[in-house]
Amino acid sequence: QQPVQSPQAVILREGEDAVINCSSSKALYSVHWYRQKHGEAPVFLMILLKGGEQKGHEKISASFNEKKQQSSLYLTASQLSYSGTYFCGTEHLDGTSYGKLTFGQGTILTVHP
Amino acid sequence: EAGVAQSPRYKIIEKRQSVAFWCNPISGHATLYWYQQILGQGPKLLIQFQNNGVVDDSQLPKDRFSAERLKGVDSTLKIQPAKLEDSAVYLCASSFTSGRSHEQYFGPGTRLTVT
């Protein structure tokens, strides 16, 4: 079951903040976040594990709400380099998806000067 | 550290022809993945290898797609015969292990166009 990301697209000015959500209908073990620029490979950002752990990397952080089976990616004081498509990849608790990621449809983030 | 290498970067073929893609993972990474990414969508896992054994190929269209990873390092993905709907970017990724919650590192991909 593919996770659902929202919003589908967001446009920002430099310095503005954004939140991207990833929701699953199945129990989650972990959520992986990637950013992909046009014509390039997806680049790993961070992993969130079940337990409500929150992680951060400079001005990008994320949270994992186990009860809601949802993760959110927070981009603070956005920079032009943040532009790209953000994907969440979910890993589920059932035995068939050990180590296997199912990716959402992506959220297109555009940052303007 | 060298990243995941893939070739070719671009390929244009006619339907019913065959094509093969090559991937060399990051040194020491035991797990290798092949994904299909259709324009505007997220990557979809086709097959996962642990060393030279298949862990998951449940989404691989086995009537036309095949993959192998001889000696547990390089891998090739083949499509024979190709269909128009196979037009996509084929991404190879690797991770240190197939255990839970290990980040995957992606190669640049091969963009396939089937005409």
Side-chain angles (χ1 to χ4, degrees):
Chain A
Q1 192 80 15
Q2 183 182 37
V4 177
Q5 291 185 229
S6 63
Q8 290 187 327
V10 58
I11 300 174
L12 301 173
R13 294 271 181 205
E14 265 188 300
E16 293 181 337
D17 302 338
V19 180
I20 300 171
N21 299 305
C22 174
S23 297
S24 175
S25 59
K26 294 173 62 175
L28 290 173
Y29 179 82
S30 70
V31 180
H32 302 220
W33 286 97
Y34 289 80
R35 177 172 59 211
Q36 186 177 32
K37 294 185 180 288
H38 183 70
E40 299 181 9
V43 173
F44 171 77
L45 294 176
M46 65 186 74
I47 294 174
L48 283 299
L49 301 176
K50 72 182 183 76
E53 181 179 359
Q54 184 156 351
K55 282 194 172 184
H57 175 68
E58 296 183 346
K59 296 179 182 178
I60 299 176
S61 63
S63 63
F64 183 6
N65 188 321
E66 187 179 351
K67 288 184 179 179
K68 291 185 177 181
Q69 306 303 329
Q70 179 177 316
S71 177
S72 296
L73 186 72
Y74 307 94
L75 299 103
T76 306
S78 60
Q79 307 168 13
L80 294 177
S81 62
Y82 287 3
S83 292
T85 302
Y86 289 77
F87 292 99
C88 66
T90 54
E91 185 180 17
H92 300 286
L93 282 172
D94 63 69
T96 63
S97 57
Y98 189 86
K100 170 183 172 181
L101 294 182
T102 303
F103 285 91
Q105 82 280 14
T107 295
I108 301 171
L109 180 76
T110 305
V111 181
H112 290 297
Chain B
E1 178 181 81
V4 176
Q6 290 188 247
S7 67
R9 292 295 311 278
Y10 305 91
K11 191 74 177 178
I12 301 174
I13 61 172
E14 296 181 352
K15 59 183 179 183
R16 293 187 289 274
Q17 287 187 325
S18 62
V19 64
F21 313 126
W22 174 82
C23 173
N24 181 245
I26 293 173
S27 178
H29 280 195
T31 307
L32 184 147
Y33 311 81
W34 281 104
Y35 288 90
Q36 179 192 59
Q37 186 174 27
I38 294 173
L39 186 64
Q41 299 181 18
K44 172 189 168 185
L45 179 68
L46 293 175
I47 189 167
Q48 176 182 347
F49 290 96
Q50 171 74 6
N51 295 312
N52 60 350
V54 176
V55 174
D56 189 317
D57 64 356
S58 57
Q59 299 189 98
L60 185 74
K62 299 180 185 64
D63 58 334
R64 298 184 300 107
F65 286 64
S66 64
E68 60 181 9
R69 190 183 184 197
L70 299 176
K71 301 180 181 178
V73 182
D74 294 5
S75 177
T76 56
L77 176 70
K78 297 179 182 178
I79 307 175
Q80 182 179 11
K83 292 184 176 181
L84 295 176
E85 59 260 36
D86 297 332
S87 293
V89 175
Y90 290 84
L91 294 164
C92 178
S94 69
S95 66
F96 182 69
T97 178
S98 66
R100 286 197 182 277
S101 304
H102 285 272
E103 57 265 35
Q104 297 180 23
Y105 296 90
F106 286 81
T110 297
R111 182 175 298 277
L112 174 68
T113 302
V114 182
T115 63

